[in-house]
């Protein structure tokens, strides 16, 4: 297993990462180094010196308890632990890939074992540039708008394209590349799934960072700890050896990994958003108490809305675990219906819950003096005097609550999170369409026919038993 120091050293591998026009070293660049340290901390937390020890992030859940423990571990760890969903997606989709050619299944098994041995972290590399969204890959003006195979030789394939919004891409070891959607006949070169080392020749990452520019963690109590870079990842004719190619040309299985990833990603999203819901409720209650508004009817109603939101999201997460399916290979897979319903509801209503919090908290969320202002002895007496709230609530306490709310919901990182919850794991539309595919609409129709007394009159094709 790797220690935190091993992880930091492993990033000095020649990877090409740009930030604001400059090539950067992710282990020293401000805004990246903190995320590296966060990840290194997780490595140290789970490090076990026993020679045959493996990182628990790779342990396959076989019971509901193990699945719950796994998700709780992800929620309480750095972001790259959650991105291990993509390795699980490969395993989940392996039977589908093996149905095309058993060699694909064998390569996935070998690759996974090798990743466990090396104790690596992954990036989920799916979302293509996509050009004109109304057109499929083969109809685009530029054929590289979706990543594709542009060459094959005895040693492997050559891929070209760009993938967008890749969470923590600059901090990962392995980039797991897969099609963003199901490909059609004629789009065989786009039906490619493979693993690319982050430092492979031709891989260029252009990173975006929402890490606070200020060093004062009191003003950014959340993002100073958790903000990490995302990247546009360019594959400029990258050679991938055959043992890292898990699908090539089989359009009928092109969506298998992305679909499996959607499931694992959304389960984790659901669990995270249940926690975030509780955090929003806690912040809303604290600031209402500090402001002296916690007994006002509309404020109480809004806090109740947030608590209902958090509870319903958690209920879907629990239902996804309770109805998990044990596969023939012994892997326990969460229920599709409840996972997608939970992630959809959580993402769809997140903005409303944030609006409630802002409504309750007031405008100081975005105008509070900074902690540097508070450190200025000329200003501090004014802040102490005028930022106080209900009796016993100090100006500093209230100001720091405002900073936490702004950082989580109304600043650079908060904005990133709002878009992230909506779009990551696929947008709302993707979750709705999976939900629709798993909801038992025939049972619902039979129920309705029965209640309406129309069962005997229904046309034969109306319901399937
Ligand atoms: C912070 C963040 C982190 C992310 N992390 C990752 C990651 O790690 N890896 C990764 O691969 N992706 C990641 N994503 C990408 C995410 O999955 C996409 O943002 C999402 O799938 C939407 O794609 P898009 O951003 O290209 O927008 P678009 O494709 O332009 O979609 C915008 C809207 O149009 C709708 N739309 C577009 N085309 C169609 C169509 N043909 N039919 C119906 N509706 C359509 C979409 O549903 C959406 O509502 C991340 C996104 C964010 C914001």
């Amino acid at each position: 297993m790797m220690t935190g120091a091993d992880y930091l050293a492993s990033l000095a591998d020649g990877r090409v990462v740009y930030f604001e026009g400059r090539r950067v070293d992710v282990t020293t660049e401000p805004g990246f180094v903190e995320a590296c340290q966060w990840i290194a901390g997780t490595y140290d937390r789970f490090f076990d010196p026993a020679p045959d020890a493996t990182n628990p992030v790779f342990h396959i859940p076989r019971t509901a308890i193990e699945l719950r423990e796994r998700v709780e571990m992800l929620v309480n760890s750095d972001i790259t632990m959650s991105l291990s969903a993509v390795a699980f997606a490969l395993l989940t989709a392996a039977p589908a890939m093996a149905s095309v050619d058993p060699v694909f299944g064998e390569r996935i098994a070998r690759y996974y074992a090798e990743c466990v041995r090396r104790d690596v972290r992954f990036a989920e590399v799916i979302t293509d540039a996509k050009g004109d969204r109304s057109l499929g890959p083969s109809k685009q003006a530029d054929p590289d708008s979706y990543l594709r195979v542009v060459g094959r030789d005895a040693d492997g394939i050559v891929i070209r394209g760009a993938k967008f919004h890749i969470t923590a891409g600059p901090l990962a070891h392995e980039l797991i590349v897969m099609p963003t959607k199901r490909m059609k006949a004629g789009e065989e070169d786009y039906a490619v799934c493979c693993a690319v080392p982050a430092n492979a020749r031709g891989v260029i990452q252009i990173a975006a960072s929402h890490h606070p520019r200020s060093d004062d963690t009191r003003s950014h109590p959340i993002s100073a700890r958790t903000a990490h870079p995302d990247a546009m990842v360019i594959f400029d004719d990258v050679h991938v050896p055959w043992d890292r190619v898990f699908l090539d040309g089989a359009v009928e299985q092109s969506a298998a990994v992305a679909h499996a990833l959607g499931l694992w990603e959304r389960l984790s999203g659901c669990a995270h958003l249940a926690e975030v819901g509780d955090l929003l409720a806690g912040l809303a209650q604290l600031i209402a108490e500090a402001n002296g508004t916690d007994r006002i009817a509309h404020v109480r109603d809004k806090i109740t809305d947030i608590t209902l939101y958090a509870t319903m999201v958690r209920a879907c997460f629990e239902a996804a675990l309770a109805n998990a399916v044990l596969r023939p290979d012994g892997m326990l897979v969460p229920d599709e219906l409840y996972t997608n319903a939970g992630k959809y509801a959580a993402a769809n209503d997140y903005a409303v819950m944030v609006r409630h919090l802002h409504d309750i908290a007031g405008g100081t969320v975005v105008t509070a003096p900074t902690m540097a202002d508070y450190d200025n002895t000329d200003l501090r007496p004014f802040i102490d005097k005028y930022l106080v709230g209900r009796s016993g609530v100090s100006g500093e306490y209230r100001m720091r609550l405002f900073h936490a709310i702004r950082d989580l919901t109304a600043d650079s990182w908060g904005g990133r999170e709002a878009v992230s919850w909506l779009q990551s794991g696929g947008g709302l539309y993707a979750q709705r369409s999976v939900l629709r595919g798993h909801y038992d609409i025939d049972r619902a129709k039979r129920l309705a026919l029965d209640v309406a007394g129309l069962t005997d009159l229904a046309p034969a094709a109306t319901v399937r038993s």
Side-chain angles (χ1 to χ4, degrees):
M1 289 177 71
M2 273 206 255
T3 63
D6 293 335
Y7 167 71
L8 294 173
S10 73
L11 296 174
D13 58 1
R15 63 187 56 209
V16 178
V17 178
Y18 283 86
F19 177 54
E20 297 190 335
R22 293 173 291 115
R23 185 158 173 199
V24 296
D25 173 350
V26 297
T27 61
T28 55
E29 178 69 19
F32 293 53
V33 62
E34 298 83 353
C36 291
Q37 294 292 346
W38 187 31
I39 299 166
T42 315
Y43 268 109
D44 281 338
R45 183 151 59 96
F46 291 111
F47 180 71
D48 179 343
D52 56 350
T54 55
N55 196 314
V57 79
F58 290 107
H59 298 176
I60 310 286
R62 300 191 188 274
T63 65
I65 292 173
E66 287 175 6
L67 185 53
R68 176 190 300 284
E69 284 173 353
R70 172 181 172 76
V71 179
E72 283 173 1
M73 174 181 71
L74 301 184
V75 169
N76 293 306
S77 299
D78 73 77
I79 181 70
T80 60
M81 291 283 275
S82 292
L83 299 174
S84 64
V86 73
F88 271 40
L90 277 181
L91 292 179
T92 311
M97 320 288 246
S99 72
V100 176
D101 185 336
V103 78
F104 292 133
E106 291 157 16
R107 285 180 194 160
I108 289 173
R110 274 201 303 275
Y111 174 74
Y112 190 81
E114 182 60 11
C115 289
V116 176
R117 191 191 64 72
R118 289 171 49 220
D119 198 6
V120 294
R121 296 295 172 84
F122 304 91
E124 306 171 341
V125 183
I126 312 141
T127 307
D128 285 288
K130 293 186 285 196
D132 182 340
R133 271 68 174 155
S134 69
L135 302 173
S138 55
K139 304 277 191 301
Q140 297 287 334
D142 183 341
D144 302 335
S145 294
Y146 286 73
L147 183 138
R148 64 188 178 124
V149 178
V150 293
R152 291 178 182 81
D153 60 27
D155 299 327
I157 58 174
V158 177
I159 57 173
R160 183 188 303 158
K163 297 280 192 174
F164 278 69
H165 330 297
I166 306 307
T167 299
L171 311 181
H173 302 105
E174 292 285 324
L175 310 175
I176 309 291
V177 177
M178 69 189 76
T180 198
K181 61 198 257 184
R182 188 180 304 283
M183 298 300 162
K184 300 188 175 130
E187 296 176 337
E188 283 73 14
D189 286 341
Y190 297 94
V192 58
C193 173
C194 57
V196 179
N199 66 345
R201 183 197 293 262
V203 172
I204 302 162
Q205 302 204 41
I206 305 177
S209 169
H210 299 275
H211 198 274
R213 302 290 166 114
S214 138
D215 288 338
D216 195 333
T217 56
R218 296 169 302 171
S219 297
H220 297 88
I222 295 153
S223 61
R225 196 170 44 84
T226 59
H228 53 264
D230 308 311
M232 168 184 176
V233 184
I234 298 154
F235 295 83
D236 191 23
D237 290 3
V238 175
H239 188 270
V240 187
W242 284 118
D243 60 352
R244 286 173 160 266
V245 178
F246 311 129
L247 193 73
D248 176 23
V251 287
E252 65 279 12
Q253 296 301 347
S254 51
V257 194
H259 182 85
L261 177 60
L263 180 61
W264 287 108
E265 181 68 33
R266 289 168 202 160
L267 180 76
S268 167
C270 221
H272 274 94
L273 278 163
E275 283 294 295
V276 172
D278 287 338
L279 181 56
L280 294 176
L283 287 169
Q285 183 68 34
L286 287 174
I287 198 67
E289 289 172 7
N291 288 356
T293 57
D294 56 306
R295 294 186 187 281
I296 295 173
H298 83 89
V299 172
R300 285 168 67 106
D301 273 354
K302 284 166 188 147
I303 295 172
T304 305
D305 279 353
I306 304 175
T307 59
L308 266 171
Y309 165 87
T311 306
M312 295 307 286
V313 175
R314 197 173 293 284
C316 281
F317 169 68
E318 292 294 336
L321 293 190
N323 293 280
V325 179
L326 190 63
R327 295 178 358 144
D329 61 6
M331 186 183 212
L332 193 73
V333 179
D335 178 80
E336 292 266 12
L337 181 70
Y338 293 113
T339 301
N340 279 279
K343 173 61 177 40
Y344 175 83
N348 193 48
D349 291 341
Y350 177 78
V352 178
M353 298 307 128
V354 169
R355 190 190 75 202
H356 281 340
L357 176 58
H358 292 171
D359 191 15
I360 292 165
T364 322
V365 166
V366 287
T367 63
T370 66
M371 295 310 296
D373 294 324
Y374 193 61
D375 291 341
N376 181 318
T377 50
D378 291 339
L379 302 178
R380 181 180 286 216
F382 293 117
I383 294 172
D384 280 338
K385 175 176 163 67
Y386 291 114
L387 258 104
V388 293
R390 165 178 285 160
S391 165
V393 173
S394 72
E396 180 184 0
Y397 172 82
R398 199 159 155 264
M399 184 170 61
R400 290 181 71 163
L401 264 182
F402 284 124
H403 283 314
I405 295 170
R406 173 190 43 69
D407 194 25
L408 182 71
T409 61
D411 208 339
S412 178
W413 179 247
R416 187 261 180 210
E417 287 295 87
V419 179
S420 170
W421 291 129
L422 203 57
Q423 297 288 1
S424 58
L428 295 177
Y429 170 77
Q431 284 135 58
R432 287 174 78 98
S433 72
V434 177
L435 176 95
R436 178 88 198 181
H438 285 84
Y439 181 80
D440 190 350
I441 194 71
D442 285 316
R443 181 188 169 278
K445 284 161 70 177
R446 282 196 304 277
L447 186 66
L449 285 171
D450 187 37
V451 167
L454 288 172
T455 304
D456 294 338
L457 282 177
T462 302
V463 285
R464 287 168 289 168
S465 54

